[in-house]
PDB file of all heavy atoms in Angstrom:
ATOM      1  N   SER R 922     -31.807  -5.573  58.427  1.00 95.00           N
ATOM      2  CA  SER R 922     -32.143  -6.498  59.507  1.00 95.00           C
ATOM      3  C   SER R 922     -33.291  -7.425  59.130  1.00 95.00           C
ATOM      4  O   SER R 922     -33.721  -8.256  59.925  1.00 95.00           O
ATOM      5  CB  SER R 922     -32.496  -5.723  60.779  1.00 95.00           C
ATOM      6  OG  SER R 922     -33.597  -4.865  60.563  1.00 95.00           O
ATOM      7  N   GLY R 923     -33.795  -7.281  57.890  1.00 95.00           N
ATOM      8  CA  GLY R 923     -34.778  -8.232  57.402  1.00 95.00           C
ATOM      9  C   GLY R 923     -36.216  -7.788  57.465  1.00 95.00           C
ATOM     10  O   GLY R 923     -37.118  -8.629  57.458  1.00 95.00           O
ATOM     11  N   ASN R 924     -36.480  -6.470  57.510  1.00 95.00           N
ATOM     12  CA  ASN R 924     -37.877  -6.035  57.452  1.00 95.00           C
ATOM     13  C   ASN R 924     -38.043  -4.793  56.579  1.00 95.00           C
ATOM     14  O   ASN R 924     -37.087  -4.059  56.324  1.00 95.00           O
ATOM     15  CB  ASN R 924     -38.461  -5.817  58.854  1.00 95.00           C
ATOM     16  CG  ASN R 924     -37.756  -4.752  59.652  1.00 95.00           C
ATOM     17  OD1 ASN R 924     -37.617  -3.623  59.203  1.00 95.00           O
ATOM     18  ND2 ASN R 924     -37.296  -5.100  60.850  1.00 95.00           N
ATOM     19  N   ALA R 925     -39.264  -4.628  56.106  1.00 97.00           N
ATOM     20  CA  ALA R 925     -39.642  -3.456  55.320  1.00 97.00           C
ATOM     21  C   ALA R 925     -40.891  -2.871  55.948  1.00 97.00           C
ATOM     22  O   ALA R 925     -41.745  -3.605  56.449  1.00 97.00           O
ATOM     23  CB  ALA R 925     -39.893  -3.842  53.871  1.00 97.00           C
ATOM     24  N   GLN R 926     -41.002  -1.557  55.920  1.00 98.00           N
ATOM     25  CA  GLN R 926     -42.085  -0.890  56.643  1.00 98.00           C
ATOM     26  C   GLN R 926     -42.788   0.140  55.763  1.00 98.00           C
ATOM     27  O   GLN R 926     -42.148   0.820  54.965  1.00 98.00           O
ATOM     28  CB  GLN R 926     -41.525  -0.182  57.875  1.00 98.00           C
ATOM     29  CG  GLN R 926     -40.680  -1.043  58.790  1.00 98.00           C
ATOM     30  CD  GLN R 926     -39.461  -0.312  59.310  1.00 98.00           C
ATOM     31  OE1 GLN R 926     -39.439   0.908  59.426  1.00 98.00           O
ATOM     32  NE2 GLN R 926     -38.410  -1.063  59.625  1.00 98.00           N
ATOM     33  N   VAL R 927     -44.090   0.240  55.932  1.00 98.00           N
ATOM     34  CA  VAL R 927     -44.888   1.321  55.358  1.00 98.00           C
ATOM     35  C   VAL R 927     -45.273   2.238  56.510  1.00 98.00           C
ATOM     36  O   VAL R 927     -45.815   1.783  57.523  1.00 98.00           O
ATOM     37  CB  VAL R 927     -46.160   0.790  54.676  1.00 98.00           C
ATOM     38  CG1 VAL R 927     -46.993   1.951  54.144  1.00 98.00           C
ATOM     39  CG2 VAL R 927     -45.813  -0.177  53.550  1.00 98.00           C
ATOM     40  N   TRP R 928     -44.955   3.513  56.367  1.00 98.00           N
ATOM     41  CA  TRP R 928     -45.261   4.505  57.397  1.00 98.00           C
ATOM     42  C   TRP R 928     -46.283   5.495  56.855  1.00 98.00           C
ATOM     43  O   TRP R 928     -46.262   5.845  55.666  1.00 98.00           O
ATOM     44  CB  TRP R 928     -44.006   5.276  57.788  1.00 98.00           C
ATOM     45  CG  TRP R 928     -42.941   4.488  58.477  1.00 98.00           C
ATOM     46  CD1 TRP R 928     -42.137   3.522  57.922  1.00 98.00           C
ATOM     47  CD2 TRP R 928     -42.532   4.599  59.840  1.00 98.00           C
ATOM     48  NE1 TRP R 928     -41.266   3.024  58.864  1.00 98.00           N
ATOM     49  CE2 TRP R 928     -41.478   3.672  60.053  1.00 98.00           C
ATOM     50  CE3 TRP R 928     -42.943   5.392  60.912  1.00 98.00           C
ATOM     51  CZ2 TRP R 928     -40.843   3.522  61.277  1.00 98.00           C
ATOM     52  CZ3 TRP R 928     -42.313   5.249  62.128  1.00 98.00           C
ATOM     53  CH2 TRP R 928     -41.273   4.325  62.308  1.00 98.00           C
ATOM     54  N   VAL R 929     -47.155   5.975  57.729  1.00 98.00           N
ATOM     55  CA  VAL R 929     -48.130   7.009  57.370  1.00 98.00           C
ATOM     56  C   VAL R 929     -48.162   8.030  58.505  1.00 98.00           C
ATOM     57  O   VAL R 929     -48.039   7.671  59.682  1.00 98.00           O
ATOM     58  CB  VAL R 929     -49.536   6.409  57.161  1.00 98.00           C
ATOM     59  CG1 VAL R 929     -50.542   7.508  56.848  1.00 98.00           C
ATOM     60  CG2 VAL R 929     -49.518   5.391  56.032  1.00 98.00           C
ATOM     61  N   GLY R 930     -48.324   9.288  58.146  1.00 98.00           N
ATOM     62  CA  GLY R 930     -48.375  10.308  59.190  1.00 98.00           C
ATOM     63  C   GLY R 930     -48.765  11.658  58.638  1.00 98.00           C
ATOM     64  O   GLY R 930     -49.383  11.763  57.575  1.00 98.00           O
ATOM     65  N   LEU R 931     -48.378  12.702  59.360  1.00 98.00           N
ATOM     66  CA  LEU R 931     -48.740  14.063  59.014  1.00 98.00           C
ATOM     67  C   LEU R 931     -47.536  14.984  59.122  1.00 98.00           C
ATOM     68  O   LEU R 931     -46.665  14.783  59.964  1.00 98.00           O
ATOM     69  CB  LEU R 931     -49.832  14.582  59.956  1.00 98.00           C
ATOM     70  CG  LEU R 931     -51.197  13.894  59.916  1.00 98.00           C
ATOM     71  CD1 LEU R 931     -52.058  14.384  61.072  1.00 98.00           C
ATOM     72  CD2 LEU R 931     -51.897  14.139  58.585  1.00 98.00           C
ATOM     73  N   ILE R 932     -47.512  15.999  58.269  1.00 98.00           N
ATOM     74  CA  ILE R 932     -46.519  17.058  58.386  1.00 98.00           C
ATOM     75  C   ILE R 932     -47.259  18.387  58.390  1.00 98.00           C
ATOM     76  O   ILE R 932     -48.194  18.599  57.622  1.00 98.00           O
ATOM     77  CB  ILE R 932     -45.473  17.005  57.249  1.00 98.00           C
ATOM     78  CG1 ILE R 932     -44.339  17.993  57.545  1.00 98.00           C
ATOM     79  CG2 ILE R 932     -46.094  17.247  55.873  1.00 98.00           C
ATOM     80  CD1 ILE R 932     -43.097  17.785  56.693  1.00 98.00           C
ATOM     81  N   ARG R 933     -46.847  19.266  59.295  1.00 96.00           N
ATOM     82  CA  ARG R 933     -47.415  20.620  59.363  1.00 96.00           C
ATOM     83  C   ARG R 933     -46.289  21.566  59.706  1.00 96.00           C
ATOM     84  O   ARG R 933     -45.738  21.531  60.811  1.00 96.00           O
ATOM     85  CB  ARG R 933     -48.513  20.712  60.423  1.00 96.00           C
ATOM     86  CG  ARG R 933     -49.208  22.079  60.435  1.00 96.00           C
ATOM     87  CD  ARG R 933     -50.285  22.144  61.497  1.00 96.00           C
ATOM     88  NE  ARG R 933     -49.712  22.071  62.842  1.00 96.00           N
ATOM     89  CZ  ARG R 933     -50.440  21.949  63.944  1.00 96.00           C
ATOM     90  NH1 ARG R 933     -51.753  21.827  63.850  1.00 96.00           N
ATOM     91  NH2 ARG R 933     -49.856  21.910  65.128  1.00 96.00           N
ATOM     92  N   GLY R 934     -45.897  22.401  58.744  1.00 94.00           N
ATOM     93  CA  GLY R 934     -44.756  23.276  58.962  1.00 94.00           C
ATOM     94  C   GLY R 934     -43.538  22.450  59.320  1.00 94.00           C
ATOM     95  O   GLY R 934     -43.245  21.431  58.691  1.00 94.00           O
ATOM     96  N   PRO R 935     -42.801  22.845  60.361  1.00 95.00           N
ATOM     97  CA  PRO R 935     -41.585  22.119  60.748  1.00 95.00           C
ATOM     98  C   PRO R 935     -41.856  20.996  61.744  1.00 95.00           C
ATOM     99  O   PRO R 935     -41.039  20.714  62.611  1.00 95.00           O
ATOM    100  CB  PRO R 935     -40.743  23.225  61.376  1.00 95.00           C
ATOM    101  CG  PRO R 935     -41.760  24.088  62.043  1.00 95.00           C
ATOM    102  CD  PRO R 935     -42.965  24.086  61.137  1.00 95.00           C
ATOM    103  N   GLN R 936     -43.017  20.370  61.657  1.00 97.00           N
ATOM    104  CA  GLN R 936     -43.364  19.284  62.562  1.00 97.00           C
ATOM    105  C   GLN R 936     -43.789  18.068  61.750  1.00 97.00           C
ATOM    106  O   GLN R 936     -44.595  18.183  60.821  1.00 97.00           O
ATOM    107  CB  GLN R 936     -44.504  19.691  63.492  1.00 97.00           C
ATOM    108  CG  GLN R 936     -44.224  20.940  64.307  1.00 97.00           C
ATOM    109  CD  GLN R 936     -45.458  21.357  65.092  1.00 97.00           C
ATOM    110  OE1 GLN R 936     -46.138  20.542  65.696  1.00 97.00           O
ATOM    111  NE2 GLN R 936     -45.759  22.649  65.075  1.00 97.00           N
ATOM    112  N   LEU R 937     -43.276  16.914  62.122  1.00 98.00           N
ATOM    113  CA  LEU R 937     -43.563  15.672  61.406  1.00 98.00           C
ATOM    114  C   LEU R 937     -43.840  14.563  62.398  1.00 98.00           C
ATOM    115  O   LEU R 937     -43.135  14.422  63.403  1.00 98.00           O
ATOM    116  CB  LEU R 937     -42.359  15.287  60.532  1.00 98.00           C
ATOM    117  CG  LEU R 937     -42.404  13.917  59.843  1.00 98.00           C
ATOM    118  CD1 LEU R 937     -43.489  13.894  58.764  1.00 98.00           C
ATOM    119  CD2 LEU R 937     -41.041  13.588  59.241  1.00 98.00           C
ATOM    120  N   GLN R 938     -44.873  13.779  62.129  1.00 98.00           N
ATOM    121  CA  GLN R 938     -45.130  12.591  62.932  1.00 98.00           C
ATOM    122  C   GLN R 938     -45.486  11.447  61.990  1.00 98.00           C
ATOM    123  O   GLN R 938     -46.222  11.623  61.017  1.00 98.00           O
ATOM    124  CB  GLN R 938     -46.235  12.828  63.956  1.00 98.00           C
ATOM    125  CG  GLN R 938     -47.592  13.190  63.379  1.00 98.00           C
ATOM    126  CD  GLN R 938     -48.623  13.444  64.471  1.00 98.00           C
ATOM    127  OE1 GLN R 938     -48.289  13.890  65.564  1.00 98.00           O
ATOM    128  NE2 GLN R 938     -49.883  13.165  64.170  1.00 98.00           N
ATOM    129  N   LEU R 939     -44.947  10.269  62.268  1.00 98.00           N
ATOM    130  CA  LEU R 939     -45.168   9.085  61.441  1.00 98.00           C
ATOM    131  C   LEU R 939     -45.372   7.875  62.335  1.00 98.00           C
ATOM    132  O   LEU R 939     -44.816   7.802  63.431  1.00 98.00           O
ATOM    133  CB  LEU R 939     -43.966   8.826  60.529  1.00 98.00           C
ATOM    134  CG  LEU R 939     -43.681   9.818  59.396  1.00 98.00           C
ATOM    135  CD1 LEU R 939     -42.276   9.601  58.854  1.00 98.00           C
ATOM    136  CD2 LEU R 939     -44.709   9.679  58.292  1.00 98.00           C
ATOM    137  N   ALA R 940     -46.146   6.922  61.842  1.00 98.00           N
ATOM    138  CA  ALA R 940     -46.331   5.650  62.541  1.00 98.00           C
ATOM    139  C   ALA R 940     -46.376   4.538  61.505  1.00 98.00           C
ATOM    140  O   ALA R 940     -46.840   4.744  60.367  1.00 98.00           O
ATOM    141  CB  ALA R 940     -47.609   5.665  63.370  1.00 98.00           C
TER     142      ALA R 940
END
Side-chain angles (χ1 to χ4, degrees):
S922 60
N924 61 55
Q926 308 139 27
V927 178
W928 294 70
V929 178
L931 295 170
I932 189 165
R933 185 180 66 188
Q936 304 174 44
L937 172 68
Q938 61 182 30
L939 292 165

